[in-house]
Amino acid sequence: MLKTFSITDVGKKRKLNQDFVYSSEQPVGNLANLFLVADGMGGHNAGDYASRVTVETIVEKVGSSLETDPSRILGEAIQEANALVRKRAARFPWLEGMGTTVVAATCAGNRLYVANVGDSRLYVINHKEIRQITKDHSWVEEMIQRGELGREDARNHTKKNIITRAVGAEDTVKVDSFIVSLEDGDEILMCTDGLTNMLEDEEVRMILDGARDIVEKAQELVKAANEQGGRDNISVILIAGCASENGEHI
């Protein structure tokens, strides 16, 4: 049975929470379920506005889409959100320069469909391993891929928060898409960098492994990130039971 829990926290250093999450275990349009995490950026309230408008637009467009392919549904909805964010930023001077990351997911049987822009992440986790499915669209990740920076050095790099792709940054946005095969026992973690900048991947896996249920797991992740400094907003969606939801197997 599908079980989910979402939580967002302002953290210890920020006055405003610019993250926005959405979680629906019920169908949205032609998708069996829908999960979204966005991390806004921009001065004053612009980041908060960008993340909220992006999530709300994606939900609306998914709900009205006539497409049947989940990857296309998510990708087209993110493009629509990008266009609206750009339009609003051009119209209102106080929103100029706003943008947001977004990671979107839906599962059907043991297939997980994922789309992302920016450095918010999706992981698949079980008792043995933690796998990052999304790839960060960030300056340090590009340096790592070119072999110019080690992953350990990247963690504390002064430019680690510079992202190279965001909803609202350009007239069109390139969306990465993934299709993942899940096994019984796999859990899905979607999160903003307020979590992953504070905790190593293995720390995340151990916290999930040690908690009793999905609610405690999410709460313990946020608690641990805050105990490590809580330098940014922290948002988490946890999803369990996808692979056994309707018995489908690839």
Side-chain angles (χ1 to χ4, degrees), residues 85-182:
V85 169
R86 294 284 290 174
K87 183 178 179 181
R88 297 277 173 86
R91 182 177 178 184
F92 302 107
W94 57 89
L95 296 176
E96 184 179 358
M98 71 173 175
T100 184
T101 71
V102 68
V103 57
T106 183
C107 63
N110 76 325
R111 285 189 178 95
L112 176 69
Y113 300 86
V114 183
N116 86 289
V117 177
D119 63 353
S120 294
R121 295 178 179 178
L122 183 144
Y123 292 88
V124 173
I125 306 166
N126 54 43
H127 293 298
K128 296 179 290 184
E129 65 174 352
I130 175 169
R131 285 188 292 145
Q132 182 180 338
I133 302 302
T134 55
K135 293 179 174 61
D136 295 352
H137 304 137
S138 67
W139 186 87
V140 295
E141 184 63 29
E142 289 186 1
M143 294 284 285
I144 291 168
Q145 295 301 318
R146 291 197 298 263
E148 298 171 9
L149 188 67
R151 197 160 291 280
E152 286 301 315
D153 295 328
R155 184 169 180 78
N156 297 308
H157 200 281
T158 55
K159 295 184 178 180
K160 70 177 180 178
N161 291 324
I162 297 177
I163 60 174
T164 56
R165 205 186 299 178
V167 173
E170 304 286 347
D171 287 339
T172 58
V173 62
K174 183 178 179 182
V175 181
D176 284 357
S177 296
F178 307 87
I179 303 175
V180 184
S181 179
L182 299 172

Side-chain angles (χ1 to χ4, degrees), residues 19-93:
D19 290 356
F20 204 88
V21 301
Y22 175 87
S23 177
S24 176
E25 298 177 19
Q26 302 304 314
V28 180
N30 287 330
L31 298 183
N33 42 67
L34 180 61
F35 307 97
L36 302 164
V37 171
D39 180 357
M41 58 188 183
H44 306 292
N45 295 327
D48 172 51
Y49 185 84
S51 61
R52 177 173 60 83
V53 166
T54 292
V55 168
E56 290 175 350
T57 303
I58 292 170
V59 173
E60 178 187 347
K61 297 304 178 182
V62 168
S64 61
S65 177
L66 299 179
E67 275 286 347
T68 56
D69 176 72
S71 295
R72 293 193 65 173
I73 293 171
L74 294 176
E76 290 177 1
I78 292 172
Q79 294 289 354
E80 292 278 0
N82 183 77
L84 183 58
V85 169
R86 294 284 290 174
K87 183 178 179 181
R88 297 277 173 86
R91 182 177 178 184
F92 302 107

